[in-house]
Amino acid sequence: MPGQKVQATVLSHHPWGVVVEIVGHENAGLSASIDMIQQFSEATSSHDELLALFPPIGSQIDAVIEQIHRWHPPVSVRLSIRPADLESLAWSCDFCGERITLSPGGDALVLDSRSNDGPGSHTLISHRHCLAERIRPENHGERARALKIGKMH
């Protein structure tokens, strides 16, 4: 789930980043990677400086799930190792565009939309109130549930 912290083993280096294997999900049939250019190119002054940030092959690193794409097999998982993301991953709400915290304690909902006539799914990130506002006003129960998801004790 986006925002979840994981351990990953670095399998290979590529010009854009690294391919990893998520510890505990080695046989899940997914493709996991870290786009180092996307994450660090603005903070580095040269390509050599960027390459020096690549974790060594075989090393185990802390990461946070940034995105999951399930359009077609294999499932593609994009991880982040930015220090700020490891502390608290923020993303844009797909409804209002404002930033929202995906990490535990944040107010984000992760919505998977699926069709009954074929494989694949699409993930949306939403504030609780953004989802609740889009549910028909007369459907009070579902609006209330949208505001309580994950907060039920």
Side-chain angles (χ1 to χ4, degrees), residues 11-69:
L11 299 178
S12 61
H13 288 179
H14 299 273
W16 49 266
V18 296
V19 171
V20 299
E21 184 174 69
I22 298 174
V23 174
H25 299 276
E26 293 85 357
N27 298 316
L30 54 88
S31 167
S33 63
I34 302 168
D35 187 331
M36 298 295 288
I37 290 175
Q38 175 195 26
Q39 292 184 35
F40 297 107
S41 65
E42 291 180 16
T44 57
S45 58
S46 70
H47 189 64
D48 288 338
E49 189 178 337
L50 176 65
L51 290 176
L53 295 176
F54 280 42
I57 293 173
S59 65
Q60 202 168 80
I61 57 174
D62 292 324
V64 62
I65 297 174
E66 188 175 65
Q67 296 177 310
I68 301 174
H69 297 284

Side-chain angles (χ1 to χ4, degrees), residues 123-149:
T123 301
L124 296 167
I125 306 298
S126 172
H127 291 101
R128 293 170 196 285
H129 67 270
C130 286
L131 176 61
E133 289 170 2
R134 282 157 179 84
I135 297 172
R136 292 185 336 261
E138 62 273 12
N139 196 343
H140 301 290
E142 289 305 319
R143 281 179 154 224
R145 280 185 273 284
L147 295 170
K148 294 275 188 189
I149 295 171

